[in-house]
Amino acid sequence: MFNRNRGLRQVGAIASISLVAGCGMFSDGDPAEGGPIVVGTTSAPSTLDPAASWDGSWELFRNIYQTLLSYPSGATSPQPDAAQSCEFTDSTNRVYRCELREGLTFSDGDAVDAQAVKHSIDRILAINAPGGPAGLLGSLDRVQAVGDREVVFHLKTSDATFPFVLATPAMSVVDPDDYPADRLREDGGVTGSGPYALDSYDEGARAELVRNDSYKGFAERRNDAVTIRYFDDSAAMVQALRDQDIDLTYRGLAADDIVALQGGADETLQLVEGAGVDISYLVFNPKDEWAAKPAVRKAIAQLVDRATIAHKIYKDTVDPLYSMVPKGLTGHTTGFFDDYGDPDPDKARRILTEAGITDPVPLTFWYTTDRYGSETAVLFKELERQLEASGLFEITLKSRDTWKTYAEGYQKGEYPVFGRGWFPDFPDADNYIAPFVGEQNALGTPYPAPKITEELLPRSRRESDRAQVEADFEEAQEILVRDARLLPLWQGKQYVAASEEIAGAERALDPSTIMMVWELYRKTSW
């Protein structure tokens, strides 16, 4: 797929992950050669403290902190990292034991021991930060440190997904000396035990990572340093790639840029394409007068034209999505299409009329452009057009420029309707339902759903064989469709654009599509 006559002409490559993985033309070179590998993304961290983050900050955390379990390249289930071994010790999936590797230390030389692990998990629940990951630990009763290397997690209920939770970057192990037990770290520093140390950080601009020589884990680093640059939009990021200011892009490529790269317009670049598990959806705030009305939500569900959005706005770089669980995972359905069918203004009008609503419904839709791609603003204009064309809605669009301020707004319940995207914590249908329901969830808007939270999810979590829980997730999604509190829009595909000189991109994404930057390296031979 690369032109061997390299001195005459460089050839652009458009490849699926499976095709790129089969190429063996290049060998690994000196990791230090050429300086740091520079990665561009439109997804900047909202915090540096794992106890405060249930969002894209994990993309940085995966590389600078360490978790008990994680995903070596190619793995689809969690494997030991800071741990030497982990397992359920009972038949009911309620006691989970991990033994740490010997000799683990943080980047400042302090020991990574069982007490540090207990401290790291306990503080997540103690701090209970708005928008933080405490909701992931709903099944946890207590953490027990036994000696220096043994940690035992006692669960309130059976939870076969708990190893997946421990593998999320939210459960990063932090140094008790630097991270208070009852509040977030405030000095802007990072003390971790991951593959890299954070050498410097300029919020919203760049993070400079250097090899952590004290790291002990599964990651085999193919480079000595990585710089992550944060961009406001795809256009600036792709221009930086073409100008050779960055080596590859991760997260945030716009559809037009993807299409241009697919067309081979720039022969010095390659495009790696893979299946995506990220989704885009709308959230309706029950505290708002109009969004709280089921008829309003169902009328919108009847009007939204996902196929037009996927084709017109995203140039078919995404697929229409009709359930919160994306295709490719056990439990995926097409519930919204089954119940609503094609967009139909007459049906939407009847839904509203039967609820006594005869005047156009005023609603404000909120979005942000620096987290989910440059098309987000265009997507919301299309939603406005579709809804107002029916004569049933009067839509006002508002946005915030930064993810941090946007997240603060929805966590405070300020938005009647708002756009969200979801990159899964782990590749299981549970993670496309559980984070969004219950009194405490990832959306900042309580969603009591007792049938789901008290029956379906607990029952599914007793089953270690995840292929056996399909019926429970299908029933849960029937409830979500009936409530229409969450409205799925599209499922993404994964694209990484890179200089022809960069290799490893096809191995660098874990099952949650978080980039493991240690897999990246420069090609040095043919």
Side-chain angles (χ1 to χ4, degrees):
M1 71 181 62
F2 297 99
N3 189 341
R4 293 178 182 272
N5 196 3
R6 195 159 171 260
L8 299 178
R9 181 173 177 266
Q10 290 182 300
V11 177
I14 302 173
S16 69
I17 287 180
S18 60
L19 289 175
V20 175
C23 286
M25 298 184 196
F26 299 92
S27 62
D28 300 19
D30 179 355
E33 186 173 339
I37 290 177
V38 184
V39 177
T41 178
T42 62
S43 182
S46 62
T47 177
L48 294 180
D49 191 327
S53 170
W54 199 350
D55 60 23
S57 304
W58 290 8
E59 294 160 6
L60 178 60
F61 294 174
R62 174 63 78 205
N63 297 284
I64 59 176
Y65 291 108
Q66 195 173 21
T67 47
L68 290 172
L69 302 164
S70 191
Y71 299 95
S73 180
T76 57
S77 60
Q79 306 296 318
D81 188 13
Q84 176 177 294
S85 63
C86 289
E87 63 181 352
F88 281 106
T89 61
D90 66 332
S91 60
T92 62
N93 294 334
R94 293 186 61 173
V95 180
Y96 195 71
R97 175 187 176 276
C98 291
E99 183 177 354
L100 292 171
R101 294 178 187 263
E102 290 189 35
L104 289 177
T105 62
F106 291 105
S107 55
D108 63 358
D110 289 349
V112 177
D113 56 18
Q115 285 294 337
V117 174
K118 174 177 168 56
H119 172 86
S120 301
I121 304 300
D122 284 348
R123 69 187 294 267
I124 293 173
L125 293 171
I127 296 170
N128 194 17
L136 284 170
L137 295 170
S139 65
L140 179 63
D141 181 27
R142 61 189 176 93
V143 185
Q144 179 185 10
V146 182
D148 290 337
R149 294 176 54 208
E150 183 179 351
V151 185
V152 182
F153 300 90
H154 299 271
L155 309 183
K156 303 172 190 173
T157 58
S158 301
D159 188 358
T161 71
F162 191 71
F164 290 94
V165 172
L166 288 180
T168 66
M171 306 300 142
S172 297
V173 184
V174 298
D175 191 336
D177 289 346
D178 298 324
Y179 293 79
D182 57 355
R183 65 185 187 280
L184 299 175
R185 181 170 181 171
E186 298 176 350
D187 65 0
V190 166
T191 312
S193 58
Y196 297 88
L198 186 62
D199 189 52
S200 67
Y201 180 70
D202 184 358
E203 184 175 357
R206 71 174 57 221
E208 296 185 0
L209 282 57
V210 296
R211 179 186 288 250
N212 174 15
D213 290 331
S214 65
Y215 168 73
K216 291 184 178 180
F218 65 74
E220 296 182 8
R221 291 159 295 190
R222 301 189 175 197
N223 60 69
D224 275 342
V226 174
T227 295
I228 303 173
R229 285 187 52 189
Y230 302 109
F231 291 86
D232 292 332
D233 56 47
S234 175
M237 182 169 65
V238 172
Q239 188 59 52
L241 180 64
R242 290 186 172 124
D243 291 342
Q244 301 180 21
D245 292 331
I246 63 176
D247 295 306
L248 75 161
T249 69
Y250 164 65
R251 199 78 79 197
L253 276 178
D256 286 340
D257 292 319
I258 294 170
V259 171
L261 289 164
Q262 287 173 332
D266 193 325
E267 298 176 344
T268 66
L269 303 178
Q270 56 178 313
L271 184 69
V272 179
E273 176 183 337
V277 288
D278 57 307
I279 67 172
S280 174
Y281 59 100
L282 294 178
V283 182
F284 294 88
N285 186 348
K287 296 179 182 179
D288 178 75
E289 175 187 3
W290 290 106
K293 298 179 185 295
V296 169
R297 304 194 298 263
K298 292 177 180 180
I300 292 175
Q302 185 62 70
L303 289 169
V304 170
D305 187 341
R306 296 169 178 80
T308 293
I309 289 171
H311 179 68
K312 177 180 176 181
I313 307 301
Y314 290 93
K315 309 296 193 301
D316 299 316
T317 60
V318 304
D319 293 321
L321 183 64
Y322 296 95
S323 76
M324 290 298 290
V325 177
K327 61 183 179 181
L329 293 183
T330 297
H332 168 69
T333 71
T334 54
F336 275 93
F337 185 81
D338 298 341
D339 279 25
Y340 294 97
D342 293 323
D344 191 324
D346 291 335
K347 288 182 181 179
R349 186 179 300 277
R350 283 198 296 272
I351 292 171
L352 292 173
T353 301
E354 289 172 2
I357 301 172
T358 55
D359 294 328
V361 176
L363 274 175
T364 301
F365 282 40
W366 283 82
Y367 64 91
T368 183
T369 56
D370 80 333
R371 172 67 53 172
Y372 307 122
S374 306
E375 296 92 355
T376 307
V378 186
L379 163 64
F380 274 78
K381 288 178 183 177
E382 174 62 16
L383 289 170
E384 177 188 33
R385 185 195 68 77
Q386 291 181 8
L387 297 179
E388 291 194 341
S390 70
L392 303 175
F393 291 91
E394 294 177 349
I395 304 299
T396 300
L397 299 182
K398 291 188 177 182
S399 67
R400 285 184 169 156
D401 293 336
T402 67
W403 169 252
K404 188 172 184 177
T405 57
Y406 182 70
E408 289 171 353
Y410 74 69
Q411 288 162 9
K412 294 176 182 177
E414 295 177 357
Y415 311 148
V417 184
F418 58 98
R420 277 295 308 265
W422 187 249
F423 302 99
D425 307 323
F426 50 86
D428 189 280
D430 182 289
N431 195 236
Y432 289 88
I433 295 175
F436 311 130
V437 295
E439 290 297 326
Q440 183 183 53
N441 60 49
L443 303 173
T445 57
Y447 183 180
K451 176 73 172 180
I452 297 177
T453 58
E454 297 173 16
E455 181 179 334
L456 297 176
L457 288 176
R459 186 166 68 205
S460 73
R461 289 170 176 172
R462 290 194 291 269
E463 179 57 68
S464 296
D465 183 355
R466 305 307 290 162
Q468 301 302 314
V469 298
E470 185 172 9
D472 288 331
F473 289 125
E474 289 177 351
E475 186 174 352
Q477 288 182 88
E478 289 175 6
I479 295 170
L480 297 181
V481 172
R482 186 165 61 246
D483 292 346
R485 282 274 307 271
L486 308 169
L487 188 65
L489 297 174
W490 53 257
Q491 174 179 350
K493 301 174 186 178
Q494 191 62 46
Y495 296 93
V496 174
S499 160
E500 194 187 26
E501 305 302 319
I502 296 297
E506 74 284 354
R507 295 172 49 87
L509 300 181
D510 77 5
S512 298
T513 67
I514 293 175
M515 182 169 280
M516 304 176 291
V517 298
W518 58 82
E519 293 286 355
L520 303 173
Y521 62 94
R522 299 184 190 280
K523 305 168 186 175
T524 59
S525 63
W526 289 81

